[in-house]
Amino acid sequence: RSNFAPMAPHGIYPASGEDNWVAIACRTEADWMAFCGIVDEPWSQNEQYRTVAARLAAEDQLDSHVADWTVSRDKFEASQSLQRAGVPAAPVQKPEERIEQDPTTANFGLWPVVTHTEIGEVRVDGQPVHFSKTDWAIKRGAPCLGEHNSEVLTGLLGYTVAELEQFKAEGVI
């Protein structure tokens, strides 16, 4: 729960299944009314929850009601029905769901495949932003320990190949 800006309900609530959650935020009275239209439970029509201030005053009780509603619902279905009504909601996705099954992140190019020296092709985390003039690109996997020693020591720092061999013999690198 966040105390700024004031909203209620505003939290992550249990959904059906093991370790499944849905995030919901009612920012305005319009959000609350749309939420109530989807939930359609007697408690959601209670005058006690009519204003943000009133909902905040009874936030623990309200969160309990919301959790009772979400716990029997699929996190994707619950969030989609709330979103269609205009209520900010999202499923809390597990890594596999986010990487393997979410077309939004796939279409965004968030999981590029690169070649790693030792493990071959591997999917990596991309950047969650795209800039028009300076977009990112990940073209190779992270280096292995010592993979670029020769390049750095001889190319950038000016050591000779003989000195590099001596460093190896001495256990420096």
Side-chain angles (χ1 to χ4, degrees):
R1 222 185 251 178
S2 174
N3 293 327
F4 185 82
M7 16 183 156
H10 184 212
I12 298 173
Y13 302 92
S16 67
E18 185 178 339
D19 198 25
N20 288 321
W21 304 86
V22 60
I24 302 170
C26 288
R27 307 158 299 179
T28 64
E29 300 310 326
D31 287 349
W32 172 249
M33 295 307 294
F35 175 82
C36 292
I38 297 300
V39 172
D40 195 30
E41 295 281 343
W43 59 263
S44 67
Q45 306 307 315
N46 189 324
E47 285 295 319
Q48 175 184 10
Y49 302 130
R50 192 59 57 205
T51 66
V52 171
R55 290 191 302 276
L56 287 170
E59 196 166 15
D60 289 338
Q61 181 183 33
L62 176 61
D63 281 343
S64 178
H65 286 308
V66 175
D68 287 344
W69 180 79
T70 60
V71 75
S72 64
R73 288 168 172 72
D74 176 80
K75 64 185 177 182
F76 294 101
E77 292 172 8
S79 64
Q80 288 170 356
S81 64
L82 290 168
Q83 287 172 14
R84 280 193 296 274
V87 178
V92 177
Q93 295 187 56
K94 297 172 185 167
E96 180 181 331
E97 293 166 334
R98 188 164 179 255
I99 296 169
E100 302 293 339
Q101 301 163 3
D102 188 337
T104 305
T105 60
N107 294 339
F108 192 77
L110 194 55
W111 314 108
V113 175
V114 298
T115 301
H116 185 272
T117 305
E118 291 188 5
I119 59 177
E121 285 195 349
V122 62
R123 190 177 333 209
V124 297
D125 290 352
Q127 298 295 318
V129 295
H130 286 289
F131 295 111
S132 58
K133 294 185 180 178
T134 57
D135 203 11
W136 61 270
I138 300 174
K139 298 179 180 171
R140 63 179 184 190
C144 294
L145 184 62
E147 182 175 347
H148 297 108
N149 282 357
S150 179
E151 179 183 338
V152 172
L153 293 171
T154 61
L156 293 175
L157 299 178
Y159 289 101
T160 66
V161 173
E163 289 172 312
L164 185 65
E165 292 304 319
Q166 182 180 348
F167 292 154
K168 288 180 188 175
E170 294 172 352
V172 174
I173 58 168

